[in-house]
Amino acid sequence: MNVPLYEKIWMWASGLLIIAFLTTIVVGVAGSSLQPPSHVETIDPTKVWNDPRFAKRGATVDDHGATVVLIAMMFAFQPAEMHVPANKPVTFRLTSADVVHGFEIVGTNGNTMVVPGYVSQFTTTFRTPGEYLIVCNEYCGLSHHLMSAKLFVDAEGARP
Amino acid sequence: MTRSDRLSLAHLWVAIAAFGVASAMALMQALSRASLDLPFRTAKMYYLSVTAHGVLMALVFTTFFIMAFGYVVVSRTLDQEPTGMPLAWAGYWIALVGTLMAALTVLSGKATVLYTFYPPLQAHPAFYIGLTLVIVGSWCWSIVMLLSYRTWRASRPDRPAPLPMHGMIATVIVWLIATIGVAAEVLFQLIPWSLGWTKTVDPVLARMLFWYFGHPLVYFWLLPAYVLWYTVLPKVVGGKLFSDPLARLVFVMFILFSTPVGFHHQFMDPGVSAGWKLLHTFLTFAILFPSFITAFTVTASMEVGGRAQGATGLVDWIGKLPWRDPLFSSVALSMILFAIGGIGGAINASFGMNAVVHNTAFIQGHFHLTVGSAVALTFMGAAYWLLPRLTGRELELSLLARVQPYLWFIGMMLFSISNHLTGLMGMPRRIYDASYGGSTIAAGWRGLTGLSAIGGVFLFASAAFFMLVMLGTGLAGKRVTPQRVEWAEPLHPVAPGRGWFDRYWVWAAVAVVLVLVAYAYPLWMHLQMPRYGSPGFKPF
């Protein structure tokens, strides 16, 4: 195929740009184990309230960080408020009692789908103490826009 | 009017009608997001109209327009009637009945599940059956397209397909591979479940099947737009196609890479492991390449046109282009919008970075630049060019037609940029109201939602102008001898024989292999897992 010189240059440049994009992703994965929430664990969606994994909901804080267990339902998160420490790893574990929901901590990259029958899990660290808004970002019914919760990130030394 | 043109026109009018209804709904949505209290504004009405807008724009307007254009390509490049006219008409009626079924179910409030219809949200069975019929109708079209090519080739075994037909064959192959996913989801999961024959469905399996279909769907929309960019636009600007073989390569690459990328819509999903998501990320970035080539080749073709009009400087050819021609301005403006949308797409596809934008307003900002501009604005421009040539009527209200693409551009910039920004600030997409009980964080989105609403008003005005021109031309346009549908000549003479790019069976087979690499193992693994189904919910 006879490709004109300028287009050849353009094609090489495009190829290199794509390789550069992919390199940033590979560096993120290899260097900082940056990856989307991809936990694989199943649960009976009709029995989530009785499942031992979701019996104790809310934040459990220890010296190493915190674990937050939540159930998403139409049209609320259970619990609706939680406290976690700043600068320590926080692991969120979620499932849905009904339809597909989203769980997004506004202003951060904390974001996951919450799908009935599955357990979502991701770990993140909050550097900035303060109040965060959590919203459902997947349409789940007519009151979808009301489905939200509050996350308080407490500075070190503040109440646990 | 020829029998073939009557067939094309029948499809075109359905596309235009769907566009008109869907545009009217969009205005209300944009205003609602800005918390403008209109008398008919309720959450029920909002989510119902989001569903209708998505289904009518993304599935009905696009599919019917593409079918119409496919038949034009057959009749005007192969110089023959589509092979299998009864099947073509059967496809039209099946798809039309399906459209009416799905649309009426949505409008009656029994299917407010949005156009992605993720279970366990459960719509009335008529919604799923209607959508299935639309797909079945499009399959009839696909078969007619392939049969027409075979008829043509039988008497010209050594000639490559004309470039527009090459692009449409690629479109058909992408579509046939892609629709397997949604057909499996709807036929085996959703229809039996909505009829009560089965009790539960696995929502992650449904999402895997939906997005197996959902991303190549994007290229099903885009490829016919690219056909117009490559093979009509250079002619309109008085130039020539810069490179015929590269255009063929581009369409072949879309056959290969359109489908094995669906997990990039599921980055945030549980139940799909990160390694497979990463593989789909790599394949997704591969598909940027043919669009980069397209940007160069189409722009270079425009430059050839500008220089043919006497331009000699570095950039003065841009001024020589026919900016008052609605087809040209539509395509040129849609290319600018698509460039922004394409960069946003690379962000969406970036594995880790996706978490910042997933399901935020950034996404609706993104796809209104891609399908809502690159595709929809190109199709509108093409309708100004096509309708007079099919009906033999002069374009009415041509001043409105001339202004319309610019209004769309302004509206889309306002709408889309503001949604990208609110998305980065964390505002979710698809919400009736963005106040979150007076949250101060949500209050920070207010100014930009207002800007987005102003964009919506511009877009609505633009859509209304388009509808007026279409209806005016169709009903009252002065009858004249129709101009011919003409295609661009390549700048350099093309090798006469068939080459590698014309071996569609080979490329389709390679595409299937790539699909198997990307999907067979994760799907099989998924089915091995102990899974629990979900019963249906109708919270609408």
Side-chain angles (χ1 to χ4, degrees):
Chain A
M1 195 183 349
N2 205 353
V3 180
L5 178 66
Y6 285 126
E7 183 142 28
K8 237 177 226 164
I9 295 170
W10 172 268
M11 285 166 76
W12 276 106
S14 311
L16 289 174
L17 183 66
I18 290 170
I19 291 168
F21 283 164
L22 287 173
T23 308
T24 64
I25 292 170
V26 171
V27 167
V29 171
S32 344
S33 1
L34 187 70
Q35 59 174 46
S38 305
H39 186 64
V40 182
E41 180 183 344
T42 55
I43 183 171
D44 185 341
T46 59
K47 302 195 174 83
V48 291
W49 299 104
N50 301 324
D51 192 290
R53 290 170 288 177
F54 286 86
K56 186 177 181 304
R57 292 179 291 279
T60 309
V61 181
D62 61 26
D63 291 346
H64 307 290
T67 304
V68 183
V69 175
L70 288 144
I71 293 180
M73 58 195 258
M74 301 183 292
F75 298 97
F77 294 100
Q78 227 293 313
E81 290 193 9
M82 61 220 87
H83 285 263
V84 298
N87 297 317
K88 283 185 177 163
V90 181
T91 299
F92 290 88
R93 281 175 59 77
L94 302 105
T95 194
S96 166
D98 37 56
V99 299
V100 179
H101 297 282
F103 177 85
E104 177 194 327
I105 308 167
V106 172
T108 75
N109 64 354
N111 196 339
T112 184
M113 303 302 299
V114 187
V115 184
Y118 296 81
V119 177
S120 309
Q121 180 180 316
F122 67 94
T123 303
T124 189
T125 304
F126 298 94
R127 304 284 176 208
T128 316
E131 181 185 327
Y132 289 80
L133 174 67
I134 293 173
V135 295
C136 172
N137 64 14
E138 183 63 65
Y139 167 71
C140 55
L142 294 189
S143 296
H144 162 53
H145 53 282
L146 301 177
M147 185 168 167
S148 64
K150 279 179 186 166
L151 172 73
F152 296 94
V153 175
D154 298 325
E156 277 155 285
R159 68 160 284 228
Chain B
M1 192 185 297
T2 63
R3 290 178 358 134
S4 171
D5 284 358
R6 201 167 295 134
L7 179 68
S8 295
L9 266 177
H11 286 82
L12 191 60
W13 282 118
V14 177
I16 292 167
F19 178 86
V21 175
S23 304
M25 299 188 141
L27 177 66
M28 188 268 259
Q29 291 158 31
L31 297 180
S32 182
R33 182 68 61 85
S35 302
L36 291 167
D37 255 321
L38 303 168
F40 48 86
R41 176 178 181 250
T42 63
K44 187 176 173 66
M45 188 56 90
Y46 172 81
Y47 291 113
L48 184 155
S49 92
V50 175
T51 308
H53 177 76
V55 169
L56 289 175
M57 283 295 194
L59 300 176
V60 178
F61 163 63
T62 49
T63 305
F64 273 90
F65 185 91
I66 292 164
M67 294 199 285
F69 182 60
Y71 292 136
V72 171
V73 169
V74 166
S75 68
R76 298 305 205 284
T77 68
L78 306 184
D79 292 319
Q80 66 182 39
E81 193 169 80
T83 307
M85 286 296 274
L87 183 62
W89 277 110
Y92 170 78
W93 286 109
I94 292 169
L96 183 58
V97 168
T99 297
L100 292 173
M101 262 177 93
L104 293 175
T105 315
V106 171
L107 294 178
S108 67
K110 291 188 182 344
T112 306
V113 292
L114 308 192
Y115 101 101
T116 39
F117 51 87
Y118 296 135
L121 289 174
Q122 191 181 57
H124 189 279
F127 174 75
Y128 304 118
I129 295 169
L131 292 185
T132 307
L133 293 179
V134 174
I135 303 273
V136 170
S138 74
W139 283 343
C140 296
W141 169 81
S142 302
I143 294 167
V144 172
M145 293 296 291
L146 295 177
L147 288 177
S148 305
Y149 173 62
R150 200 177 68 164
T151 309
W152 179 85
R153 212 187 59 181
S155 57
R156 301 163 187 84
D158 300 326
R159 275 177 55 190
L163 185 58
M165 192 62 197
H166 175 83
M168 293 314 292
I169 292 169
T171 308
V172 168
I173 295 172
V174 167
W175 187 239
L176 289 176
I177 295 175
T179 44
I180 295 168
V182 73
E185 181 198 2
V186 172
L187 294 179
F188 297 124
Q189 287 193 290
L190 302 185
I191 291 179
W193 172 67
S194 66
L195 288 167
W197 299 346
T198 55
K199 294 283 168 247
T200 61
V201 292
D202 172 0
V204 167
L205 179 62
R207 291 168 69 84
M208 286 166 109
L209 294 172
F210 182 84
W211 286 115
Y212 168 99
F213 156 78
H215 199 75
L217 170 66
V218 168
Y219 299 111
F220 171 68
W221 301 327
L222 187 63
L223 292 191
Y226 275 13
V227 170
L228 286 155
W229 295 9
Y230 276 113
T231 68
V232 177
L233 187 74
K235 189 80 196 170
V236 172
V237 302
K240 291 191 169 183
L241 172 60
F242 192 68
S243 174
D244 179 281
L246 277 179
R248 285 176 198 268
L249 169 70
V250 161
F251 287 111
V252 166
M253 289 187 76
F254 279 109
I255 296 177
L256 297 183
F257 295 117
S258 287
T259 310
V261 296
F263 285 165
H264 75 230
H265 290 262
Q266 296 180 268
F267 281 150
M268 297 299 124
D269 275 23
V272 182
S273 65
W276 289 104
K277 291 175 180 174
L278 189 59
L279 173 72
H280 282 223
T281 304
F282 278 92
L283 290 163
T284 305
F285 276 90
I287 210 159
L288 280 179
F289 191 64
S291 286
F292 276 127
I293 301 181
T294 302
F296 186 98
T297 308
V298 175
T299 311
S301 304
M302 288 198 262
E303 183 181 344
V304 171
R307 298 205 182 284
Q309 317 299 321
T312 50
L314 191 61
V315 288
D316 64 336
W317 56 271
I318 297 173
K320 299 275 184 192
L321 297 172
W323 291 98
R324 293 154 71 91
D325 178 306
L327 171 61
F328 173 76
S329 57
S330 293
V331 172
L333 295 173
S334 83
M335 285 178 70
I336 297 170
L337 295 170
F338 190 48
I340 307 171
I343 293 165
I347 293 170
N348 301 341
S350 292
F351 200 60
M353 221 174 349
N354 178 266
V356 180
V357 297
H358 173 77
N359 266 355
T360 68
F362 190 94
I363 303 301
Q364 84 204 17
H366 164 71
F367 68 70
H368 279 89
L369 291 175
T370 50
V371 64
S373 295
V375 175
L377 188 53
T378 296
F379 286 1
M380 284 187 266
Y384 295 133
W385 166 80
L386 208 48
L387 194 63
R389 284 166 173 78
L390 292 177
T391 55
R393 289 173 181 273
E394 222 168 42
L395 201 65
E396 277 292 308
L397 304 168
S398 57
L399 181 66
L400 295 188
R402 204 180 293 165
V403 174
Q404 181 270 331
Y406 294 93
L407 278 181
W408 193 270
F409 182 80
I410 297 167
M412 200 50 92
M413 284 301 253
L414 290 170
F415 174 85
S416 185
I417 302 290
S418 56
N419 275 295
H420 276 89
L421 294 176
T422 44
L424 288 174
M425 293 158 84
M427 184 174 86
R429 65 194 277 205
R430 296 166 156 182
I431 44 168
Y432 162 68
D433 186 279
S435 58
Y436 286 100
S439 153
T440 48
I441 296 166
W445 308 329
R446 278 303 287 271
L448 288 165
T449 53
L451 208 55
S452 153
I454 296 170
V457 173
F458 271 96
L459 289 167
F460 178 71
S462 175
F465 281 14
F466 172 75
M467 293 302 291
L468 286 173
V469 175
M470 288 295 111
L471 295 176
T473 305
L475 299 173
K478 198 170 80 186
R479 289 191 183 279
V480 289
T481 317
Q483 286 179 280
R484 282 167 47 81
V485 173
E486 292 181 313
W487 310 94
E489 303 280 327
L491 187 60
H492 306 286
V494 181
R498 293 177 69 222
W500 268 101
F501 297 144
D502 307 296
R503 296 175 194 266
Y504 303 109
W505 281 113
V506 175
W507 300 118
V510 178
V512 169
V513 170
L514 280 173
V515 166
L516 290 174
V517 167
Y519 270 107
Y521 188 72
L523 211 51
W524 183 77
M525 284 285 284
H526 186 84
L527 297 174
Q528 299 307 305
M529 218 168 33
R531 292 169 299 134
Y532 304 89
S534 284
F537 292 87
K538 295 175 180 165
F540 44 82

